[in-house]
Amino acid sequence: EIVLTQSPTTMAASPGEKVTITCRASSSVSYMHWFQQKSGTSPKPWIYDTSKLASGVPDRFSGSGSGTSYSLTISSMEAEDAATYYCLQRSSYPFTFGSGTKLEIK
Amino acid sequence: EVQLVETGGGLVQPGKSLKLTCATSGFTFSNAWMHWVRQSPEKQLEWVAQIKAKSNNYATYYAESVKGRFTISRDDSKSSVYLQMNSLKEEDTAIYYCTWPGFAYWGQGTLVTVSS
């Protein structure tokens, strides 16, 4: 099983600040996928195939990485970006999720 | 419009069974590879199971934590996917979501609570 380790677990950012969330895989994966979840709602696809933005995702978000190291970046934090972000690998069974990064606005 | 609606959750005692249903609409279900994903009270997401289409011989895959206890199935005539959960444990307590395709669409989830 591929274990995904996200960091940080929680963080707070000020409006306009650059934010980076990382996801490290215990073995190499072909792509990484990211989800955003706000309280009381289902996860939403946010970034797929490492760097492609899902429909409706602002272009201040970006994704990058390869092999065992991937990241989600927000170029300029906005209040609406406060949420929990999860990474997912579906390169091999069983598919696995990271434990999540809770991002808060300062 | 794609819709996924999960039902069947509830409170159940350890060792008992429960069957979840995900009714879908808005896409060609017979070609769809469907998944169940759950989210624990601690908010950890866990992939549970996948079922592929008829053209893939309805192949199924499971997380180790549920293998041998849970069974995923589908009824293409009803555009529905199911999760039969047997020998339930307290650690199976979670919100259960069905998703498609490749986790692009999610239902609202159904809560399963396993407790005596």
Side-chain angles (χ1 to χ4, degrees):
Chain A
E1 172 176 320
I2 296 177
V3 176
L4 300 182
T5 303
Q6 279 186 245
S7 60
T9 302
T10 61
M11 68 175 298
S14 301
E17 186 177 346
K18 182 179 180 179
V19 172
T20 299
I21 298 169
T22 65
C23 181
R24 299 193 190 282
S26 59
S27 299
S28 182
V29 299
S30 302
Y31 298 99
M32 193 61 70
H33 313 276
W34 295 88
F35 296 83
Q36 181 197 68
Q37 187 178 33
K38 294 190 176 183
S39 181
T41 67
S42 305
K44 293 181 180 177
W46 212 246
I47 296 174
Y48 65 99
D49 292 351
T50 301
S51 60
K52 300 174 183 176
L53 301 185
S55 177
V57 174
D59 62 7
R60 61 180 177 274
F61 283 87
S62 63
S64 64
S66 65
T68 61
S69 183
Y70 294 83
S71 62
L72 177 157
T73 299
I74 307 172
S75 60
S76 178
M77 177 75 182
E78 295 195 10
E80 67 178 14
D81 302 335
T84 301
Y85 294 86
Y86 296 90
C87 54
L88 162 74
Q89 71 79 22
R90 48 189 179 99
S91 295
S92 67
Y93 292 102
F95 301 158
T96 48
F97 288 88
S99 55
T101 294
K102 186 174 184 179
L103 174 61
E104 299 173 329
I105 188 80
K106 281 185 185 173
Chain B
E1 179 191 4
V2 172
Q3 286 199 318
L4 306 168
V5 179
E6 303 95 337
T7 57
L11 174 63
V12 62
Q13 293 180 328
K16 300 296 188 181
S17 299
L18 206 59
K19 186 174 184 177
L20 306 182
T21 297
C22 173
T24 76
S25 60
F27 62 99
T28 305
F29 181 81
S30 58
N31 296 335
W33 295 5
M34 301 298 298
H35 300 263
W36 285 96
V37 173
R38 66 186 180 184
Q39 186 166 36
S40 69
E42 296 76 27
K43 304 302 182 186
Q44 177 63 54
L45 289 168
E46 180 183 19
W47 172 80
V48 173
Q50 179 192 35
I51 186 165
K52 293 189 174 180
K54 181 179 181 180
S55 58
N56 308 106
N57 296 317
Y58 298 123
T60 59
Y61 305 84
Y62 297 92
E64 282 299 322
S65 59
V66 306
K67 198 174 290 185
R69 299 187 300 123
F70 290 12
T71 302
I72 189 172
S73 62
R74 63 192 294 157
D75 184 338
D76 291 346
S77 69
K78 296 182 178 179
S79 297
S80 295
V81 62
Y82 308 97
L83 188 68
Q84 176 67 46
M85 305 185 294
N86 298 333
S87 303
L88 282 161
K89 305 175 181 180
E90 290 189 352
E91 52 263 43
D92 295 318
T93 294
I95 297 173
Y96 285 74
Y97 299 99
C98 66
T99 91
W100 169 86
F103 310 95
Y105 293 93
W106 297 59
Q108 84 290 346
T110 187
L111 176 62
V112 173
T113 303
V114 184
S115 175
S116 54

